[in-house]
Amino acid sequence: MKHGLNTETRKRAYTLIELLAVIFIVAITSAIYLPISKNYGVGAGIGAGFVTIVVCVLIIAQLYRWRWRRDKQRLQELREKYQAIYRVIALPADERNLRKATGAEIKIGDYGWEAGSLRKDGLIYLQGLTSEWHVVWHAGFRPEQIEKVATKPVSQYDRWHPYWAEVPPPPPCPFPILARSTATMGLPHHSHRYFESYPTPNK
């Protein structure tokens, strides 16, 4: 699962998780209901099944809470560690240090937001963002390939949230890539894994 993903990708991923949760509840409930109803009657089986469903739902809810607490802690760590904004003055040559949306490109003059690394190679990793905060590219640069221009006024990691969370639209990214139409890889996420590209105009 996920992250750096756009809303639709997260919805599909969470839908799969929720489907598995339902299958888990049905399987456990059936395993409890069938022997009890056989030995003690349907009424007892229904009662035991109801209690089982309640317990399973509580367990799953706690797992969701634990996961979100873990994600928030990791996002806070990234906010505190990566605080600079750079401008690209030379393009990275090593494709192993680069993730980008299909058809997207890094351009000299793009702003890059300091981000977690894709590999342990000592490079400075940046994310190129659209004005809507979507990631276009995530790449590692040598110090001479970039120049620092500012400290982040906010963190790009503030922009990620679970798909089910109701949040107001954020203000535009203050240091986006050069204006152009481009595919993106969704909102920044602490995992720095990207799976799909989505056409998102940046005007």
Side-chain angles (χ1 to χ4, degrees):
M1 211 175 78
K2 340 215 277 318
H3 316 295
L5 308 181
N6 80 350
T7 301
E8 290 304 317
T9 302
R10 292 199 308 273
K11 284 183 179 179
R12 289 196 295 271
Y14 275 95
T15 300
L16 175 60
I17 292 174
E18 289 155 1
L19 175 61
L20 292 175
V22 170
I23 293 173
F24 168 77
I25 292 173
V26 171
I28 296 298
T29 303
S30 298
I32 298 296
Y33 169 80
L34 292 175
I36 289 181
S37 61
K38 181 178 180 179
N39 294 322
Y40 301 101
V42 173
I46 292 174
F50 176 78
V51 171
T52 302
I53 290 173
V54 171
V55 171
C56 288
V57 169
L58 291 175
I59 291 173
I60 291 171
Q62 287 302 312
L63 289 174
Y64 268 89
R65 288 166 60 91
W66 169 81
R67 184 186 183 89
W68 179 225
R69 286 196 300 267
R70 185 198 62 179
D71 286 353
K72 287 197 295 185
Q73 180 179 355
R74 177 57 179 157
L75 290 166
Q76 182 59 35
E77 292 171 356
L78 293 169
R79 291 185 194 102
E80 295 173 355
K81 185 173 182 179
Y82 302 110
Q83 300 187 356
I85 295 172
Y86 294 83
R87 182 185 289 111
V88 177
I89 58 176
L91 300 179
D94 193 341
E95 291 290 327
R96 295 177 300 173
N97 308 324
L98 171 63
R99 303 288 184 274
K100 61 182 179 179
T102 302
E105 57 182 338
I106 303 173
K107 291 190 174 183
I108 292 176
D110 278 350
Y111 288 111
W113 291 59
E114 191 176 14
S117 61
L118 299 174
R119 303 172 64 222
K120 294 182 179 180
D121 48 21
L123 299 178
I124 299 172
Y125 277 84
L126 308 178
Q127 290 174 329
L129 307 174
T130 66
S131 59
E132 295 82 16
W133 297 96
H134 284 206
V135 180
V136 176
W137 52 260
H138 187 169
F141 296 84
R142 298 191 304 273
E144 67 271 15
Q145 295 174 322
I146 53 178
E147 59 180 4
K148 184 177 178 179
V149 296
T151 299
K152 294 177 184 178
V154 294
S155 174
Q156 75 269 39
Y157 295 109
D158 294 330
R159 302 282 73 89
W160 188 88
H161 55 83
Y163 79 89
W164 40 261
E166 295 293 335
V167 297
C173 174
F175 292 91
I177 60 171
L178 296 174
R180 58 186 182 269
S181 294
T182 182
T184 75
M185 300 185 292
L187 296 173
H189 184 267
H190 63 76
S191 69
H192 303 124
R193 294 200 297 267
Y194 308 104
F195 295 95
E196 299 185 48
S197 298
Y198 298 86
T200 301
N202 182 31
K203 301 179 180 179

